Amino acid sequence: MKAAGVLMIALAIAVAVVSLVFNCQAEGRSLALANGTTVPMKCFWSAMAEIAVAVPLLGVGGMLALSQGRETQRTLAVTGGILGAFTMLIPTVLIGVCANPDHDCNRIMLPTTLMAGTLIIAVSLITLFISEGRTEASAA
Amino acid sequence: MLISLKDVVKIYAPAKEQPVRAINGLSLEVPRGDFVAILGRSGAGKTTLLNLMAGLTRPTSGEVLVESANLWSLGDREQSRLRNRKIGFVFQFPSLLPSLTALENVALPNTFGKRLAGDEARVRAGQLLEMVGLTDKRNAFPRHLSAGQQQRVVVARALMNQPDILLADEATSNLDEQTEQEIMTLFQQIHAETGVTIVMVVHSSYLVRYATRSIQMANGKILSGD
Amino acid sequence: MNLFQLALRNISRNAFRSWTIFLCAFYISGFALAMMLIVHGAEQSLDLANQRLGADILVVPNGSEQKVETSLLMGNPTNVWMPREVVEKIARLPEVESISPQLYLATLTNAACCSVSNMFVIAFDPQTDFTITPWLEQRLGRALNPGEAIGGMYVFTPPGEEGIKIYGTFVRLMGNLEPTGTGLDRALFISFDTAYDIARNSRTRAVEPLQIPDNSISAALIRVRRGNAAQIVSMKIEQQIPEVTAIDSPELFLSYRNQINGLAEIVWMVLAIALVLSIAIVDLIFTMAVNARRREIAVLRALGSTRRSIFFSLLAEANLLAFGGGMAGLALSALAVYLFRNLLVSSLQMPFLLPSLPELVFVLAIGILVVLAAVSISVLPPALAASRREPALAMRE
Ligand SMILES: Nc1ncnc2c1ncn2[C@@H]1O[C@H](COP(=O)(O)OP(=O)(O)OP(=O)(O)O)[C@@H](O)[C@H]1O
Ligand SMILES: [Mg+2]
């Protein structure tokens, strides 16, 4: 389970870093309102939410890397999978990103988070599958 | 006659070395139901003889017949089938498959012959493990078994397909006296109960008492036999 | 327990051997698919762009062919002009069936986030156009009115606004064209009238006015009369009007095609080398693994396994691993190419179009078959040797 934990940590870091760097706010772009004030755009809020998901994911990955008990591993895998699903849902369904296909949030942040989310869910499922198989073998 | 060897010669000719006449014009007949013990010094050709009987090596000249069928006039399929159905083998070295449990190892010969359905095979393998006294180890992997336990699993495996012939090569040489005695008694018991023909290489003469007949070998020939 | 399960158990036993085969299959198939998608996607996209223009010959001012091709493919606006009378001169040629002029314009660059910035605008002449008009007739059932526009795939109206603002004038987006994977997906199509209106109004409404030089056009699209070779006609045009360059359609985007072909060549070479290397590595590792299992194989033979089944179970083991690795590699690379397609386009500076689903499935199937064939070739010698070895010899270490 060490490998799964390390992989999850790496993916969480990737999500956080990409969100931090490639949101339009970081590029200095923002929405100018009619009254002259500027507000951050959708992609910025998505990026903040991604970071908020990546931090607990980092913890889950660390615990998974160190965990021994099968029950713990299973719980961690499920938690990781749910966080992975959120990683994918935030920039697509829940908040979204800018509409312009040329922006970095669209070119880099969105695909990275989707890719990482897919991999996180895959890692969680494999972890679940393996720990399930192990208990079966040891019980038989 | 169950097994007969006629003027068999086996010469090993390894590259860059002197050829070795491991079996040197040997003839032997083993009738059904015998328990033959083979004695001889290291290098006498005992293992080679057993391998010849099972068709695991081809004689340089002479004939090996099992139930009057010449082993080397059969194709690979028929030969393998004969080994699978008629011959059980206990090797000189650890021979359990490490990736399979004790029960799976015992059931393995059924895989190649497919006489029994999966469930029946497991039941039979379980019975054999019970016979060798290892019911509680059925799901253990070989690395978790002692040498004596491993050897008993091997004996159970050799009996899986109800063979006519059991070939055993120094089955007890790595074991302590107590365990050796247990295993030899097991062979005796199997012989008495199933009537299987046993040809067994033994490493010392005091083991001959378990057999019904003994043969002394030297330099690829039979020195004496009764 | 059957031979297949036996193979599965053996896979989990020799982790090093298993991972090597798995990863080789993973990398090769993943890399091959990604490259294949990129190269094929670029080619297809060029063909579609050509089809979209629907012209046999593209006439542009001398020396601007590279610029125009780049803007058509990558969507960055360009500013090239030639005298309008060129159109009449070419129309007089007997080989020319129809000719239609176009204006290439650009929107302002400082557009806010989340609306289209620095957009490539193509103005066409509704009287002669044969590129957009057929599509309009089919979808809209009429021509564009002044102030209306058609967009490429990625053009959209900013949320909450009634139209796209170009130099202070709103144009209404009436529909989107199908994707081509090129800059045309980011282009906005308007009629000449609309373009001149915008230019006139921009003097009062925009910070920076839109300049369209009098009596000038940017390019002209030509259809050749049946039975005439586009190549010959374009040569004739260049002879008669020295200030323009005529590109016949096979030559259009030629520099891009060459670039793609060059890339494809390198990619195939790298792949071939990687494949050969992998075959060698897998062969070596499998030989080692089989040697370590000599005794075990001899035992299986003694228990009644035939040579054939030894051979096939070794082959099955390797193929199972390669199948797993290949599938994982293909899935991951397809996903990555799909997700990062926009980044790919902008960083490679190449047009790109995703394949259709049947095409993708076909390519995936071919990929898996190649991986399985390669792994079979590499484990064939050791598997054959292991199954042929005399059991009695194999038992002695
Ligand atoms: N593959 C081989 N290549 C060369 N020589 C061999 C080979 N197998 C056996 N021999 C030789 O043949 C002779 C008989 O060997 P074999 O293994 O039958 O002896 P053994 O009686 O079983 O001895 P041990 O009691 O040590 O097991 C020996 O001299 C041995 O060195
Ligand atoms: Mg020996």
Side-chain angles (χ1 to χ4, degrees):
Chain A
M1 288 310 98
K2 209 170 192 169
V6 171
L7 213 61
M8 218 175 252
I9 292 175
L11 290 168
I13 292 175
V15 167
V17 168
V18 165
S19 301
L20 214 54
V21 178
F22 295 105
N23 62 65
C24 300
Q25 186 82 348
E27 286 175 72
R29 300 200 209 193
S30 52
L31 271 184
L33 296 185
N35 61 15
T37 56
T38 60
V39 291
M41 296 163 308
K42 260 186 184 177
C43 51
F44 174 75
W45 298 119
S46 269
M48 292 303 113
E50 286 290 358
I51 291 168
V53 169
V55 170
L57 196 58
L58 216 60
V60 170
M63 274 153 73
L64 192 58
L66 301 174
S67 68
Q68 296 291 335
R70 317 206 179 297
E71 205 50 52
T72 328
Q73 281 171 3
R74 230 173 300 174
T75 316
L76 288 172
V78 171
T79 317
I82 292 172
L83 289 174
F86 267 101
T87 313
M88 296 176 74
L89 288 175
I90 288 167
T92 49
V93 182
L94 299 178
I95 302 180
V97 288
C98 302
N100 190 324
D102 286 339
H103 283 187
D104 276 348
C105 52
N106 249 319
R107 287 192 326 183
I108 302 175
M109 189 180 101
L110 180 66
T112 307
T113 51
L114 289 183
M115 188 95 193
T118 314
L119 291 177
I120 290 166
I121 292 175
V123 168
S124 302
L125 286 180
I126 292 172
T127 307
L128 208 60
F129 182 75
I130 291 176
S131 64
E132 204 71 49
R134 280 220 187 128
T135 37
E136 211 174 81
S138 61
Chain B
M1 206 52 55
L2 190 55
I3 309 171
S4 49
L5 282 78
K6 293 179 185 162
D7 298 322
V8 173
V9 176
K10 176 70 191 180
I11 301 172
Y12 290 110
K16 294 183 210 154
E17 272 178 59
Q18 282 286 324
V20 182
R21 280 183 169 259
I23 298 292
N24 196 0
L26 182 147
S27 295
L28 173 68
E29 305 220 306
V30 181
R32 198 175 283 275
D34 261 19
F35 187 160
V36 185
I38 300 176
L39 274 164
R41 295 187 52 179
S42 184
K46 308 180 296 289
T47 299
T48 308
L49 179 63
L50 284 196
N51 285 338
L52 283 165
M53 288 179 176
L56 295 178
T57 191
R58 187 190 276 273
T60 312
S61 70
E63 281 183 350
V64 183
L65 307 175
V66 174
E67 281 190 328
S68 25
N70 186 337
L71 275 185
W72 293 96
S73 63
L74 303 175
D76 181 55
R77 261 174 92 93
E78 289 81 34
Q79 214 193 53
S80 302
R81 196 173 149 105
L82 183 141
R83 265 200 294 274
N84 184 247
R85 302 244 163 126
K86 302 237 151 92
I87 301 175
F89 226 113
V90 179
F91 301 91
Q92 201 171 358
F93 52 87
S95 64
L96 293 176
L97 265 63
S99 54
L100 303 184
T101 63
L103 190 83
E104 288 165 343
N105 261 296
V106 174
L108 192 59
N110 186 61
T111 308
F112 307 119
K114 278 282 150 53
R115 280 181 169 175
L116 302 174
D119 290 341
E120 295 173 59
R122 263 191 297 282
V123 170
R124 166 141 180 90
Q127 287 165 351
L128 287 169
L129 279 176
E130 192 184 337
M131 188 188 83
V132 299
L134 286 175
T135 306
D136 54 330
K137 299 287 184 190
R138 37 189 295 147
N139 292 315
F141 286 94
R143 59 180 178 279
H144 298 134
L145 297 176
S146 73
Q149 288 170 333
Q150 286 187 32
Q151 205 61 334
R152 279 190 275 168
V153 177
V154 173
V155 173
R157 181 178 70 185
L159 294 172
M160 178 68 194
N161 280 356
Q162 293 175 292
D164 297 331
I165 308 163
L166 195 56
L167 301 176
D169 193 358
E170 301 195 28
T172 59
S173 54
N174 297 324
L175 306 174
D176 60 277
E177 247 169 80
Q178 175 89 30
T179 317
E180 177 170 64
Q181 211 176 330
E182 274 174 32
I183 301 242
M184 288 308 291
T185 314
L186 180 64
F187 273 107
Q188 219 172 18
Q189 178 197 337
I190 291 164
H191 182 244
E193 280 172 12
T194 65
V196 64
T197 307
I198 302 179
V199 179
M200 175 185 266
V201 173
V202 293
H203 61 95
S204 46
S205 48
Y206 68 85
L207 294 172
V208 168
R209 64 192 157 96
Y210 292 95
T212 58
R213 176 185 165 194
S214 78
I215 289 172
Q216 183 79 36
M217 276 188 78
N219 299 323
K221 285 186 174 158
I222 296 177
L223 270 191
S224 66
D226 51 5
Chain C
M1 180 67 44
N2 55 35
L3 281 176
F4 178 75
Q5 286 167 311
L6 206 62
L8 272 181
R9 291 287 179 88
N10 280 325
I11 283 172
S12 56
R13 219 175 89 219
N14 189 338
F16 175 67
R17 188 274 321 255
S18 299
W19 277 110
T20 308
I21 298 183
F22 184 91
L23 287 179
C24 277
F26 179 87
Y27 282 122
I28 294 270
S29 62
F31 182 66
L33 180 68
M35 288 305 146
M36 182 115 165
L37 288 176
I38 290 171
V39 168
H40 181 76
E43 276 170 355
Q44 209 177 2
S45 162
L46 287 182
D47 289 344
L48 258 175
N50 236 336
Q51 260 178 42
R52 170 64 49 80
L53 292 174
D56 298 321
I57 299 172
L58 176 69
V59 176
V60 296
N62 260 347
S64 67
E65 52 274 27
Q66 193 70 47
K67 269 195 205 160
V68 171
E69 283 184 357
T70 306
S71 15
L72 289 176
L73 287 187
M74 303 317 299
N76 18 28
T78 177
N79 235 322
V80 297
W81 302 104
M82 58 186 176
R84 194 176 179 140
E85 73 213 32
V86 165
V87 175
E88 279 87 56
K89 281 190 199 162
I90 294 174
R92 256 177 258 137
L93 291 175
E95 295 90 343
V96 172
E97 183 183 289
S98 50
I99 175 164
S100 179
Q102 294 195 327
L103 306 176
Y104 294 157
L105 313 169
T107 56
L108 293 171
T109 46
N110 62 341
C113 175
C114 304
S115 100
V116 186
S117 63
N118 199 18
M119 193 166 54
F120 184 32
V121 181
I122 298 177
F124 59 93
D125 178 9
Q127 248 91 61
T128 55
D129 173 69
F130 50 80
T131 303
I132 302 296
T133 307
W135 189 90
L136 283 175
E137 272 161 13
Q138 213 177 26
R139 294 297 169 86
L140 213 57
R142 60 171 175 83
L144 285 182
N145 291 327
E148 291 180 342
I150 290 293
M153 182 63 193
Y154 295 134
V155 174
F156 59 93
T157 309
E161 301 199 19
E162 54 191 290
I164 299 173
K165 203 174 189 182
I166 305 173
Y167 290 90
T169 306
F170 278 107
V171 293
R172 272 171 55 111
L173 190 62
M174 303 305 291
N176 290 86
L177 300 164
E178 287 83 18
T180 61
T182 64
L184 292 177
D185 293 349
R186 249 163 274 190
L188 188 74
F189 295 87
I190 54 178
S191 67
F192 269 21
D193 292 344
T194 311
Y196 288 121
D197 278 351
I198 292 172
R200 206 172 313 116
N201 293 336
S202 71
R203 276 173 234 145
T204 52
R205 291 190 200 162
V207 192
E208 196 186 319
L210 170 63
Q211 309 276 10
I212 304 177
D214 287 341
N215 285 322
S216 294
I217 58 166
S218 302
L221 300 173
I222 293 172
R223 271 203 176 152
V224 170
R225 227 178 268 287
R226 205 178 262 273
N228 289 292
Q231 201 187 352
I232 301 194
V233 179
S234 60
M235 271 159 62
K236 200 166 168 188
I237 292 171
E238 284 184 357
Q239 262 169 21
Q240 300 209 352
I241 314 160
E243 65 264 40
V244 303
T245 301
I247 315 162
D248 55 284
S249 86
E251 298 263 304
L252 191 59
F253 309 133
L254 194 63
S255 59
Y256 277 87
R257 272 181 212 283
N258 288 339
Q259 204 180 325
I260 291 166
N261 290 340
L263 178 72
E265 257 167 49
I266 296 172
V267 163
W268 292 131
M269 221 149 72
V270 170
L271 257 179
I273 293 172
L275 195 65
V276 169
L277 223 67
S278 297
I279 289 180
I281 291 173
V282 169
D283 177 77
L284 188 76
I285 294 209
F286 210 77
T287 305
M288 277 159 53
V290 164
N291 270 337
R293 264 163 61 196
R294 278 168 95 125
R295 264 199 174 171
E296 186 182 316
I297 291 168
V299 168
L300 290 177
R301 297 271 286 125
L303 295 181
S305 170
T306 58
R307 283 183 189 159
R308 260 176 75 94
S309 67
I310 294 284
F311 174 75
F312 281 112
S313 75
L314 289 174
L315 218 61
E317 247 178 83
N319 273 288
L320 228 52
L321 285 166
F323 184 77
M327 276 308 212
L330 291 177
L332 223 60
S333 115
L335 185 68
V337 169
Y338 172 73
L339 290 175
F340 288 95
R341 60 191 183 281
N342 288 330
L343 186 65
L344 220 64
V345 169
S346 59
S347 53
L348 288 182
Q349 284 294 305
M350 267 199 194
F352 174 72
L353 198 63
L354 285 169
S356 66
L357 198 62
E359 272 177 315
L360 184 66
V361 170
F362 179 73
V363 171
L364 291 181
I366 296 277
I368 276 293
L369 286 181
V370 168
V371 166
L372 293 188
V375 84
S376 296
I377 289 171
S378 45
V379 303
L380 201 67
L384 212 57
S387 67
R388 290 265 171 88
R389 197 169 285 137
E390 188 172 83
L393 288 183
M395 281 173 193
R396 298 170 57 99
E397 267 174 326

